[in-house]
Amino acid sequence: MRITGLPAPGPGTPRLREALLTASFTPEGLLDLLGPSAHAALARGETVPALRATHPDDGPLAVLTRLFLLRRPVAYGVARGALPLDEALGEGWLTRDGDEVRATVEVRPYATEGAPGGDGDGAGSRDGWIVSDSRGAPGADGAAGQAPDVVLGAGGASATLAALTVRTPVARALDLGTGSGVQALHASRHADLVTATDVNPRALRMTALTLALSGAPPADLRLGSLFDPVADEPGYDLIVSNPPFVISPARDGAGLTYRDGGMAGDALCRTLVRRSAAHLAEGGHCQLLANWERTEGEDWRERLAAWVPPGCDAWIVRREEQDVAEYAELWLRDAGLHRGDRAAYEAAYGAWLDEFAARGALAVGFGWVMLRRTGAERPAIRVEDWPHAVEQPLGDTVLAHFARQDFLRDRARDDDRDRDGGQAGLLSARYVLAEGVVQEQVGAPGAEDPEHIVLRQRHGMMRATALDTVGAGFAGSCDGTLVAGTILDAIASLLGEDPFTLREGAGAWLRPLVEQGFLLPAG
Ligand SMILES: C[S@@+](CC[C@H](N)C(=O)[O-])C[C@H]1O[C@@H](n2cnc3c(N)ncnc32)[C@H](O)[C@@H]1O
């Protein structure tokens, strides 16, 4: 496909990749060149410190940085010392204007986890590059002043999704709304086939460039909206999407393609979640970022739970919420409108507020929607608010969460059959305390007994939960050797309590301890 102004990957691309590696145009190399302050400024979209740090250095690393990140013209003779210039010009990575050359795209060093055993080209499997347009004006968060079909590089949301994604080796992965191809690049490290879709043809080209330059296998690229381009495909083992989730007044292509999905309210995210089950293979995971509205008198948890398609377990986490005014300001700044004409800014701000008012929306939640297709009759749906710090990456935590849901579902079946107390399923299993869980005791200094006992995770979701002496004693005894019921009976006799009563009440605290990952089923 011909796409004006963008490179087309060709035989020169592996040689460009070689040149980038030779010059150490990698995340570590860039940090060494710029130093932490200029490096951090560049991540904020500010180029002045990096320009000063690379001037007047004409070494290959400084030249590549000026060309591909700072987007400055470089003298032809100087650029020739840094990369295979004529091939790069031929494939459209650069254009020539008299004695100077310029990059046509941003190329940003980016590290991904290597596939087990590396990717086989001997070139450091973790090093890749994200090819994209550059951000808008310095200081703007997003695409200020850019064309509506601008394709941005990997931002904070991209990193969040990448760190959340389950990275087990799979046969088929789908990256819906691929943009610069950052999620497709990650998926290429652990999926045999990656399909990447987008409504923006420029995004598909950027993805092809990102993969080719990073030495990853090419993806199956498909143009179209939501699941339309893969309607007839068999189910995927992994679906990831950082969709255009912004809730804005822009409709049907009138906004910025990377963020304004064009559907009213949170309809795009809802549609994605609802339709995902039909495109998931049995046991497959779907992981998306989403925004959703909260309206007066509505329980947002119920609203989100109602999005979950039949046959899927779900884990939905709200990471933050903003009131509608704050939210409108965030995205007006993203588009750079706060820097322009005051009257235009006020009109745009008003349009956002009208949009929310029309549906009675008070606030917008941002979070993660994670599904696993199980086909279970009784799906496990957990919707929670967790604005606290977590330890990234969380892919293994997500995988383990869904595995524990299978375990709890199996045990619940046994509980149903148990006529005495209904805990048999849970109490006949063995558990181990998850690695890194510690106990904290809170109480008055010098007091004999603590007022609260808290178990705290030091990994993953980094949760904390309060327990009584029985629960804490139980958790401390879980090393996988004794079944839960036997441990409880021992605690009952130690504390002089009725073992039947302890067993009967155990489900109320044991089930959440397992669900939240404090205790893991042994083996
Ligand atoms: C927020 S960007 C995410 C890009 C990239 N996946 C990442 O994680 O950084 C959303 C992408 O979805 C694309 N998009 C917009 N509307 C879409 C639709 N209806 N169907 C599929 N993709 C769409 C945009 O062109 C853009 O590339």
Side-chain angles (χ1 to χ4, degrees):
M1 193 189 300
R2 198 179 148 68
I3 302 203
T4 319
L6 291 186
T13 302
R15 277 189 282 280
L16 176 58
R17 168 180 165 75
E18 275 308 309
L20 303 186
L21 283 168
T22 306
S24 295
F25 189 57
T26 57
E28 299 78 23
L30 195 63
L31 181 59
D32 279 354
L33 174 76
L34 300 181
S37 174
H39 191 264
L42 193 57
R44 295 192 299 271
E46 298 289 352
T47 49
V48 174
L51 278 168
R52 291 163 71 108
T54 56
H55 184 80
D57 185 350
D58 276 345
L61 179 55
V63 168
L64 293 170
T65 304
R66 280 208 293 280
L67 270 174
F68 286 121
L69 282 177
L70 306 175
R71 304 295 298 275
R72 298 293 151 138
V74 167
Y76 181 91
V78 172
R80 225 159 116 144
L83 74 169
L85 189 52
D86 293 328
E87 280 175 298
L89 282 164
E91 288 187 3
W93 292 95
L94 304 170
T95 53
R96 183 170 183 176
D97 184 7
D99 194 33
E100 286 185 336
V101 294
R102 278 178 182 276
T104 54
V105 283
E106 177 176 295
V107 175
R108 187 170 291 264
Y110 186 86
T112 57
E113 285 306 314
D119 60 5
D121 68 356
S125 62
R126 291 165 48 91
D127 289 324
W129 291 270
I130 301 297
V131 182
S132 70
D133 293 315
S134 292
R135 292 210 287 199
D141 299 319
Q146 305 270 50
D149 62 353
V150 62
V151 178
L152 296 185
S158 325
T160 298
L161 177 61
L164 202 59
T165 302
V166 171
R167 298 284 172 210
T168 42
V170 291
R172 305 176 73 248
L174 171 66
D175 173 19
L176 194 152
T178 187
S180 64
V182 52
Q183 312 301 336
L185 176 62
H186 278 280
S188 74
R189 307 295 196 204
H190 63 104
D192 296 338
L193 174 73
V194 178
T195 299
T197 70
D198 209 290
V199 284
N200 182 355
R202 297 186 77 252
L204 294 184
R205 173 60 60 82
M206 294 294 192
T207 295
L209 292 165
T210 290
L211 295 175
L213 195 58
S214 302
D220 166 23
L221 300 173
R222 301 194 181 193
L223 187 66
S225 181
L226 301 177
F227 290 103
D228 296 353
V230 294
D232 300 324
E233 288 296 313
Y236 292 91
D237 307 300
L238 175 68
I239 299 176
V240 288
S241 186
N242 169 12
F245 50 65
V246 178
I247 301 173
S248 81
R251 287 286 176 281
D252 301 327
L256 292 160
T257 316
Y258 73 87
R259 57 168 234 197
D260 300 309
M263 292 164 87
D266 47 28
L268 184 131
C269 289
R270 189 174 65 236
T271 307
L272 258 182
V273 175
R274 291 213 171 130
R275 287 179 59 187
S276 60
H279 300 279
L280 272 178
E282 207 57 29
H285 292 90
C286 172
Q287 299 184 265
L288 341 153
L289 303 182
N291 277 189
W292 54 81
E293 289 180 332
R294 181 169 61 75
T295 53
E296 180 90 57
E298 186 184 40
D299 181 338
W300 71 270
R301 288 182 174 82
E302 280 175 20
R303 176 173 159 71
L304 268 286
W307 287 12
V308 176
C312 288
D313 285 353
W315 183 19
I316 298 172
V317 182
R318 183 171 77 176
R319 294 291 290 160
E320 67 174 295
E321 186 182 79
Q322 289 185 325
D323 71 50
V324 290
E326 249 184 308
Y327 186 81
E329 289 158 26
L330 171 72
W331 295 107
L332 288 166
R333 271 200 310 279
D334 176 77
L337 292 180
H338 61 310
R339 290 158 180 267
D341 174 62
R342 190 76 208 164
Y345 176 75
E346 286 178 3
Y349 199 147
W352 282 70
L353 294 184
D354 288 346
E355 177 68 20
F356 287 123
R359 286 181 301 276
L362 301 176
V364 177
F366 170 85
W368 316 330
V369 178
M370 300 172 286
L371 306 173
R372 178 167 170 256
R373 185 166 155 164
T374 62
E377 264 171 50
R378 286 200 287 188
I381 299 177
R382 180 179 175 86
V383 186
E384 66 177 312
D385 197 24
W386 191 255
H388 310 292
V390 297
E391 186 195 49
Q392 301 279 22
L394 277 174
D396 287 347
T397 302
V398 174
L399 189 67
H401 169 89
F402 285 112
R404 290 195 306 277
Q405 295 297 349
D406 281 345
F407 167 84
L408 289 171
R409 192 170 17 241
D410 284 351
R411 295 286 144 175
R413 249 180 249 126
D414 292 349
D415 290 349
D416 287 348
R417 285 195 289 267
D418 172 31
R419 274 168 287 128
D420 326 308
Q423 314 295 333
L426 278 180
L427 294 184
S428 61
R430 293 180 170 79
Y431 301 92
V432 289
L433 196 63
E435 198 239 308
V437 171
V438 291
Q439 176 177 306
E440 291 170 358
Q441 305 201 163
V442 182
E448 223 169 79
D449 294 318
E451 280 164 36
H452 300 289
I453 304 176
V454 173
L455 287 193
R456 190 176 292 283
Q457 298 172 343
R458 287 184 299 182
H459 302 302
M461 294 295 280
M462 310 221 303
R463 297 179 190 277
T465 191
L467 285 179
D468 63 9
T469 329
V470 172
F474 178 88
S477 309
C478 282
D479 60 4
T481 49
L482 296 175
V483 298
T486 308
I487 297 178
L488 265 189
D489 292 346
I491 292 175
S493 96
L494 214 67
L495 299 179
E497 300 218 15
D498 173 26
F500 182 76
T501 313
L502 276 199
R503 278 176 175 254
E504 214 177 23
W509 51 265
L510 179 51
R511 178 170 280 274
L513 283 183
V514 176
E515 186 178 30
Q516 295 176 24
F518 290 94
L519 293 178
L520 312 178

